[in-house]
Amino acid sequence: MGKQKKTQKAKKQRTAQLARLLKPTDSRIKEELRKKRKKPIDPLQIKVNQAPQQSSALFFQYNTQLGPPYHIVLDTNFINFSIKNKLDIIQGMMDCLYAKCIPYISDCVRAELEKLGNKYKLALRIISDPRFERLPCLHKGTYADECIVNRVQQHKCYIVATNDKDLKNRIRKIPGVPIMYVAAHKYAIERMPEAYGVKA
């Protein structure tokens, strides 16, 4: 009986101590020391990390939008390498892909060539050919690499022609986009599916 009385007394003492404690929202506590209750998190407001939407043109790494006539976006670097190697751009592309090719020049690439000055007058004259299609740019600035990467991510119908290592590395991370480049005085292509008749 003695033990039970002791435990009952201990319980009463604990409840009395708890009753003496102030509630965290009590008005007598200073504003700085007052604990604010956390609002319950609404499950609808939790942001979910969404994976980027994949293009419907891709069947795993196989791009169904690629096919003749091929649409090729040219980089400033590629045009300059073609001139140094004395290559006809359109003929060289057709020899590489064995099909009709439509080269595209974005406003950024044209602006970059214009900025480079008199040394690149020949390059400007070449891209002024009516066989070269023009791609209008709606963004600010004239950074061609960023423009090409964004365009290729949005539309999977393009092949990127460049000799720039950094740009190549960025495009390799985008699935289903082949890269054309100048190697051994002719055009070569990388990541082109063999189903299109061109060996990668």
Side-chain angles (χ1 to χ4, degrees), residues 21-83:
L21 289 169
L22 295 172
K23 288 182 181 178
T25 54
D26 199 296
S27 59
R28 290 173 287 177
I29 299 171
K30 288 180 183 176
E31 199 67 39
E32 303 140 15
L33 303 171
R34 187 175 294 170
K35 288 179 182 177
K36 289 180 181 175
R37 287 180 184 170
K38 289 180 181 177
K39 289 179 183 177
I41 299 163
D42 185 7
L44 297 172
Q45 289 180 345
I46 297 166
K47 287 183 181 178
V48 179
N49 290 336
Q50 291 180 343
Q53 198 171 11
Q54 288 298 324
S55 172
S56 60
L58 292 175
F59 181 75
F60 296 105
Q61 295 291 315
Y62 185 86
N63 188 350
T64 56
Q65 279 190 359
L66 288 173
Y70 293 105
H71 305 279
I72 303 164
V73 180
L74 306 182
D75 182 28
T76 315
N77 204 315
F78 183 83
I79 297 161
N80 294 333
F81 266 80
S82 300
I83 292 164

Side-chain angles (χ1 to χ4, degrees), residues 72-155:
I72 303 164
V73 180
L74 306 182
D75 182 28
T76 315
N77 204 315
F78 183 83
I79 297 161
N80 294 333
F81 266 80
S82 300
I83 292 164
K84 280 179 186 175
N85 287 282
K86 296 177 182 175
L87 292 166
D88 180 1
I89 292 172
I90 294 168
Q91 190 59 48
M93 286 175 175
M94 286 170 74
D95 292 344
C96 178
L97 295 168
Y98 306 114
K100 187 185 176 184
C101 300
I102 303 164
Y104 286 87
I105 302 290
S106 66
D107 290 345
C108 296
V109 172
R110 183 176 283 277
E112 272 190 7
L113 286 168
E114 285 169 359
K115 277 182 185 176
L116 290 167
N118 291 334
K119 281 185 181 180
Y120 298 91
K121 270 186 180 178
L122 179 60
L124 278 166
R125 202 178 301 159
I126 288 166
I127 64 170
S128 299
D129 190 311
R131 293 178 296 172
F132 285 77
E133 294 287 327
R134 195 122 181 233
L135 284 174
C137 295
L138 302 171
H139 58 83
K140 290 179 181 178
T142 57
Y143 188 55
D145 289 12
E146 201 69 46
C147 172
I148 290 167
V149 169
N150 290 340
R151 201 177 289 275
V152 164
Q153 281 174 335
Q154 287 169 3
H155 312 286

Side-chain angles (χ1 to χ4, degrees), residues 172-185:
R172 282 184 191 121
K173 290 172 187 173
I174 306 164
V177 182
I179 302 164
M180 186 179 274
Y181 58 96
V182 180
H185 303 287

